[in-house]
Amino acid sequence: MSSPKVIFGFHAVGVRIKTAPKSVLEVLFDSSRRDARMKQFIARAQDAGVRVVEADSLRIAKLAGSHGHQGIAARVEAMPQLHSIDELLEGLEAAGTVPLLLVLDSVTDPHNLGACLRVADGAGAHAVIAPKDHAAGINATVSKVASGAADTMPYFMVTNLSRTLNELKERSIWCVGTSDDAPRTLYQTDLKRPLALVLGAEGEGMRQLTRKTCDELISIPMAGAVESLNVSVASGVCLYEAMRQRIAV
């Protein structure tokens, strides 16, 4: 059994209590906070049978590794995870579900990763994929920013991203990358098919090999003075357009 991990913040801890209360070993809360939000949160935790412990802000900050904990941190057991992308895709195929994947290349900032996981969960994506050597891993900061999606959204870190994209293509999943200089826009592209949306980090974008491996490149129209969007915002634009197209069918 894997060792317990720490999550913090109202949303991240609240989602875990709601979805898997038995996995929550204990919740530490800042006893100096007497506001309604904290009282309601503690009441919900106690109603779910979760052990709650009074603590000061410094102790919670040390546990969370951050001062942005909002007065809440929890020790939790790791959630059961899918073991491989193949396992995920086979499950989707058996259910007759059209895959929608988000692939992140060189996204190393944990705040960006957390936001990407959150928007992927909201838009109904089935997994987020990233390379092991050019990406942020799941930590307490990612979990807080993801507001619970770090537990619900499968996140696969692969050894060779271009090889993984080729394996997706062998399964008839269309790999679409985003690029400022692409001739076609997001809104001119069929996103209803089995799809992997590939985005790079803000500024540098995708690595060249990743770009070359994509089946197609598309752009996000920019009408203002800025040249590009933050990767989490771009992920949201792309994923929700895919969602819109699929709902409209």
Side-chain angles (χ1 to χ4, degrees), residues 91-121:
L92 294 176
E93 183 178 355
T97 302
V98 179
L100 175 60
L101 308 174
L102 176 63
V103 180
L104 302 174
D105 188 20
S106 303
V107 176
T108 58
D109 182 87
H111 294 86
N112 277 337
L113 174 59
C116 287
L117 291 170
R118 185 174 184 175
V119 76
D121 181 272

Side-chain angles (χ1 to χ4, degrees), residues 201-218:
E202 186 178 0
E204 296 180 2
M206 293 179 289
R207 290 172 292 170
Q208 277 300 115
L209 184 56
T210 305
R211 179 186 174 103
K212 290 178 181 178
T213 308
C214 291
D215 291 303
E216 180 183 359
L217 295 176
I218 60 173

